Amino acid sequence: MSETYLAYDFPLLGAFWTMLWFFLWIMWFILLFRIIMDIFRDDSMSGWAKAGWLVFCIVLPFLGVFVYVIARGKNMGRREMAQARAQQEEFNAYIRDTAGSGTSSAEELAKLAEIRDKGVITEEEFRRAKEKVLSGHGAGTGTGSTAHVGSTPRTPGV
């Protein structure tokens, strides 16, 4: 009597098992790399402890990963959230610094007057750019500026 391999008697079932093992293999590597990243992320561990955990996870990967998840897995999410929060705060600080470093209206007017005095722009262009700066739309300092003050809509009664 010959042995029957049920998983390979039906091609669809064989494909299912192959996909399942492939998925588990990929998930294993994702878990392994997340643990390695967590080992390096943890500031409370000394360098020797990090080296020990790293060697344990590389030499005996299944046992090392499972022991790490059991022993230190509770705080993995907290460390990841703390890092994400710190990155968001750094990004927000960068945006605030970048947005806050713009020039004020007085500085823009001084630059416009300097450009006019050098003869780069005409008096009419200076006047239009000055009105744009004062209205809060920015300076149109180019010589080919097509900004027209009269084109801004005005609210009746104001």
Side-chain angles (χ1 to χ4, degrees):
M1 182 171 184
S2 67
E3 288 187 39
T4 305
Y5 296 105
L6 185 60
Y8 294 102
D9 286 344
F10 303 103
L12 185 61
L13 193 55
F16 170 76
W17 283 114
T18 302
M19 288 174 45
L20 178 67
W21 282 111
F22 183 72
F23 174 75
L24 290 175
W25 185 68
I26 295 295
M27 288 304 298
W28 169 253
F29 278 106
I30 289 172
L31 180 62
L32 180 66
F33 287 122
R34 283 188 54 134
I35 287 176
I36 290 172
M37 287 176 56
D38 188 64
I39 289 170
F40 286 111
R41 179 185 301 135
D42 191 2
D43 291 333
S44 66
M45 277 198 297
S46 69
W48 287 107
K50 289 180 182 185
W53 275 112
L54 193 60
V55 167
F56 190 35
C57 287
I58 290 175
V59 172
L60 298 170
F62 290 110
L63 185 62
V65 166
F66 291 134
V67 169
Y68 187 87
V69 168
I70 291 168
R72 301 185 51 83
K74 183 178 182 181
N75 293 325
M76 280 178 67
R78 291 184 185 141
R79 284 187 291 273
E80 189 170 344
M81 290 298 293
Q83 182 189 19
R85 223 175 278 117
Q87 285 178 340
Q88 184 65 39
E89 288 172 6
E90 287 177 16
F91 178 74
N92 291 343
Y94 172 75
I95 294 296
R96 276 192 303 274
D97 291 345
T98 304
S101 66
T103 58
S104 67
S105 295
E107 291 172 345
E108 287 186 38
L109 288 174
K111 288 178 185 177
L112 281 172
E114 183 180 334
I115 293 172
R116 179 197 58 193
D117 293 342
K118 289 181 180 178
V120 175
I121 60 174
T122 64
E123 187 65 36
E124 177 62 26
E125 290 171 328
F126 171 75
R127 187 187 58 75
R128 284 186 291 175
K130 177 178 147 186
E131 288 182 16
K132 282 191 79 175
V133 168
L134 293 176
S135 68
H137 295 294
T141 60
T143 55
S145 176
T146 58
H148 298 289
V149 175
S151 65
T152 56
R154 301 214 181 250
T155 307
V158 176

